[in-house]
């Protein structure tokens, strides 16, 4: 009996487990390792960080969500020994495997910027999202006694998708927090600092401008072409210019799991360029999916971005290719058909370019509905047991 070990119960790992478990007459043992007993929808972490959703609305129990034939181990992976085909764990005994799917996901990127780790609040898992929310609320509450204007100043670092979606939730909730924590709304200052010259460059310029104006109308000031060079305890620096704030949200990008570098893979920012069937060069028994994989888009040679959409699609190919290998058949190439690019601006609005039955450019409530439909679909794509849905 072949043993398949899947690392990480995020989008990539959950989907791989689901796809493998439903293959009939496959004589395999499937093991899924995750550091927490729960799965979290990473695509909604910014909502927990802004306080528009509670953690239990974006998490579910991994054991209840997978097919009972999948053995779930709750432990932290520390290293993969590719030659010995062995996974080392923080607490338990090492696991050997015949086939491996590594889906350990993303971590926050600081690019070595001084003070970013110490003074910025990242949004990368449930614990960091909850911590960012607590800091935000405590700081805003504190203004009532401190009268320190920096308590009402928030700097969001970077203007990628995570920053923009976080800002959307933040401005949506701000007036409610002003009432609850008794601070003057007109004194709140929100700055978003971006190194590149254009905000939301991946969208049609009219949609991007609409999204930027929406956030500006709700109190956000964008500083494009402004590289962050240092993060101090109460200010973000771009060379000599200081952006003071007592809440600094650190969302300047991601890299793959540190386990990749720790295991000696040939990697860049903890992402490994995989073969066209998603296996690892020289290790046909090993597949990388999701944010630890770097997959060139055959149409332009550039790497695909790291998204949940792609993680799920990669998981399908990796699962099929493991089955092909077990049955002595040829593996297939990974092919990705995007559903489009969708960005929320709070719970009720957004912008989107959707590729389903045509190419649709959407803004406002329609874009928000499209985004929720794609997100809700992803939950059903991950779980094996009916009834596991977000509240
Ligand atoms: P992850 O989802 O990161 O899952 C990795 C899993 O492995 C987690 O369960 C983690 O706990 C576990 N793990 C990590 N390290 C270890 C270890 N050492 N040992 C054991 N277990 C471990 N993409 C979209 O397509 N659409 C969106 O709308 C969207 N919104 C986003 C919003 C935010 C705020 C963020 C941060 C990202 C968003 N993304 C979105 C990107 C998307 O979330 C990621 O691309 C996706 O989560 C990657 O999936 P994954 O399976 O590779 O890894
Ligand atoms: P990102 O890399 O997409 O954006 C980070 C931003 O920070 C970039 O615009 C970058 O120029 C900026 N930046 C980096 N260093 C900086 C510096 N020193 N000073 C100022 N700005 C700096 O990262 P993200 O937004 O965290 O997203 C991570 C991944 O998740 C991406 O692949 C993204 O596509 C995906 N994601 C998708 C969605 C969605 O589809 N709705 C939502 C969130 C995240």
């Amino acid at each position: 009996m072949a043993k398949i070990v899947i690392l990480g119960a995020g989008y990539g790992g959950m989907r791989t487990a689901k796809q493998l478990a439903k293959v009939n007459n496959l004589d395999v043992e499937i093991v899924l390792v995750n550091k927490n007993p729960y799965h979290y929808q990473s695509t909604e972490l910014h909502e927990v960080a802004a306080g528009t959703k509670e953690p239990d609305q974006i998490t579910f129990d991994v054991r209840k969500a997978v097919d009972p034939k999948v053995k779930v181990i709750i432990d932290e992976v520390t290293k993969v020994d590719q030659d010995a085909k062995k996974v080392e764990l923080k607490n338990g005994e090492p696991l050997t495997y015949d086939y491996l799917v590594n889906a350990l996901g993303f971590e926050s990127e600081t690019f070595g910027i001084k003070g970013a780790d110490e003074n910025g609040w990242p949004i990368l898992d449930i614990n960091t999202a909850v911590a960012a929310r607590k800091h935000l609320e405590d700081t805003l509450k504190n203004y009532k006694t401190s009268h320190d204007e920096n308590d009402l100043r928030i700097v969001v670092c970077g203007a990628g998708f995570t920053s923009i979606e976080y800002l959307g939730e933040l401005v949506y909730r701000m007036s409610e927090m002003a009432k609850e924590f008794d601070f003057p709304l007109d004194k709140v200052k929100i700055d978003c600092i971006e190194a590149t010259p254009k905000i939301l460059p991946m969208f049609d310029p009219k949609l991007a401008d609409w999204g930027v104006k929406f956030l500006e109308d709700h109190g956000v000031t964008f500083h494009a072409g402004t590289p962050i060079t240092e993060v101090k305890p109460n200010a973000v620096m771009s060379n000599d210019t200081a952006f003071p704030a007592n809440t600094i949200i650190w969302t300047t990008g991601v890299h793959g799991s540190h386990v990749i570098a720790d295991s000696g893979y040939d990697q860049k920012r903890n992402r490994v360029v995989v073969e066209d069937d998603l296996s690892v060069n020289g290790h046909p028994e090993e597949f990388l999916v999701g944010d630890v994989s770097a997959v060139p888009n055959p149409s332009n040679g550039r790497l695909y971005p790291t998204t949940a959409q792609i993680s799920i699609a990669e998981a399908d190919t990796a699962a099929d290719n493991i089955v092909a290998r077990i049955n002595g058949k040829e593996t297939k190439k990974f092919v990705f058909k995007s559903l489009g690019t969708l960005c929320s601006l709070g719970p009720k609005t957004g912008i989107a370019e959707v590729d389903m039955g045509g190419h649709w450019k959407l803004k406002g409530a329609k874009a928000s509905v499209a985004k929720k439909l794609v997100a809700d679909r992803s939950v059903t794509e991950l779980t094996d047991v009916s009834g596991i849905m977000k509240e």
Side-chain angles (χ1 to χ4, degrees):
M1 183 193 282
K3 181 169 173 185
I4 306 170
V5 173
I6 303 166
L7 308 181
Y11 293 93
M14 290 291 292
R15 176 71 175 189
T16 310
K18 173 172 172 156
Q19 297 301 74
L20 286 170
K22 73 180 186 197
V23 180
N24 289 324
N25 304 321
L26 192 66
D27 189 22
V28 290
E29 179 188 1
I30 305 169
V31 180
L32 174 62
V33 188
N34 197 51
K35 71 176 161 197
N36 305 303
Y38 57 85
H39 161 94
Y40 51 86
Q41 298 284 106
S42 312
T43 55
E44 293 167 45
L45 285 169
H46 57 287
E47 293 165 73
V48 172
T52 50
K53 273 197 181 151
E54 298 301 326
D56 63 1
Q57 290 176 280
I58 72 157
T59 52
F60 53 77
D61 189 316
V62 173
R63 282 202 174 92
K64 286 188 187 152
V66 294
D67 186 291
K69 70 174 98 129
V70 177
K71 181 178 171 195
V72 176
I73 296 179
I74 306 304
D75 207 331
E76 190 173 324
V77 175
T78 52
K79 200 173 159 196
V80 176
D81 184 336
Q82 293 180 279
D83 294 329
K85 292 202 254 171
K86 195 172 72 178
V87 174
E88 291 175 18
L89 302 175
K90 189 173 175 188
N91 301 310
E93 291 298 310
L95 290 170
T96 54
Y97 59 82
D98 298 301
Y99 296 92
L100 183 73
V101 177
N102 187 331
L104 287 173
F106 67 91
E107 294 171 1
S108 174
E109 176 66 91
T110 63
F111 302 103
I113 291 172
K114 192 176 165 198
D117 273 328
E118 300 82 346
N119 304 314
W121 293 87
I123 303 174
L124 63 111
D125 55 20
I126 289 290
N127 291 344
T128 54
V130 167
R133 173 183 174 170
K134 182 171 181 335
H135 176 81
L136 170 76
E137 292 180 350
D138 287 350
T139 309
L140 292 171
K141 255 182 231 170
N142 196 49
Y143 177 81
K144 199 176 170 186
T145 47
S146 72
H147 299 291
D148 175 358
E149 289 193 346
N150 284 355
D151 280 345
L152 298 186
R153 288 185 175 150
I154 298 153
V155 171
V156 175
C157 301
F161 272 108
T162 301
S163 312
I164 296 289
E165 293 198 330
Y166 173 79
L167 284 164
E169 302 298 319
L170 183 68
V171 299
Y172 178 82
R173 199 178 162 225
M174 194 53 85
S175 53
E176 169 212 308
M177 286 196 288
K179 279 189 208 126
E180 191 180 344
F181 306 142
D182 196 14
F183 60 82
L185 198 52
D186 59 349
K187 281 206 156 61
V188 172
K189 192 162 178 341
I190 306 172
D191 289 298
C192 177
I193 302 173
E194 167 59 43
T196 61
K198 180 89 185 96
I199 311 290
L200 294 170
M202 63 298 276
F203 282 102
D204 172 284
K206 280 190 189 148
L207 280 184
D209 290 349
W210 189 89
V212 167
K213 185 166 183 313
F214 175 87
L215 290 173
E216 285 174 343
D217 288 348
H218 288 81
V220 178
T221 305
F222 285 97
H223 306 269
T226 308
I228 295 163
T229 50
E230 187 180 348
V231 186
K232 294 187 171 173
N234 309 103
V236 173
M237 304 299 297
S238 178
N239 299 311
D240 293 337
T241 307
F243 296 89
N246 282 350
T247 297
I248 297 167
I249 302 295
W250 189 257
T251 42
T252 57
V254 296
H255 57 64
S257 163
H258 67 278
V259 172
I260 294 291
D262 293 353
S263 305
Y265 285 81
D266 183 9
Q267 52 79 33
K268 203 169 171 191
R269 294 175 66 196
N270 291 335
R271 296 179 75 197
V272 178
V273 179
V274 286
E275 301 292 293
D276 58 12
D277 65 356
L278 304 182
S279 65
V280 178
N281 186 351
H283 287 276
E285 73 289 354
E286 190 182 345
F287 292 83
L288 295 191
V289 307
D291 284 14
V292 289
S293 69
V295 185
N297 179 342
S299 69
N300 57 20
R302 286 173 31 203
L303 297 179
Y304 282 116
T306 51
T307 68
Q309 258 196 70
I310 294 176
S311 303
I312 291 170
E314 288 178 2
D316 288 351
T317 300
D320 285 350
N321 284 344
I322 287 177
V323 175
R325 286 249 149 86
I326 290 171
N327 292 331
K329 299 210 168 109
E330 287 282 300
T331 56
K332 65 180 184 188
K333 288 183 183 174
F334 173 67
V335 179
F336 179 59
K337 168 92 182 65
S338 172
L339 296 174
T341 308
L342 303 95
C343 181
S344 64
L345 299 165
K348 294 189 173 163
T349 191
I351 52 175
E353 294 196 36
V354 180
D355 293 306
M356 280 185 270
H359 183 77
W360 308 92
K361 293 179 186 174
L362 308 174
K363 57 180 189 286
K366 282 184 193 156
S368 178
V369 171
K371 175 98 202 300
K372 286 185 184 122
L373 285 176
V374 171
D376 285 348
R377 209 189 109 186
S378 81
V379 179
T380 57
E381 284 169 333
L382 302 181
T383 61
D384 254 306
V385 182
S386 61
I388 301 277
M389 293 295 291
K390 291 171 296 166
E391 284 167 23

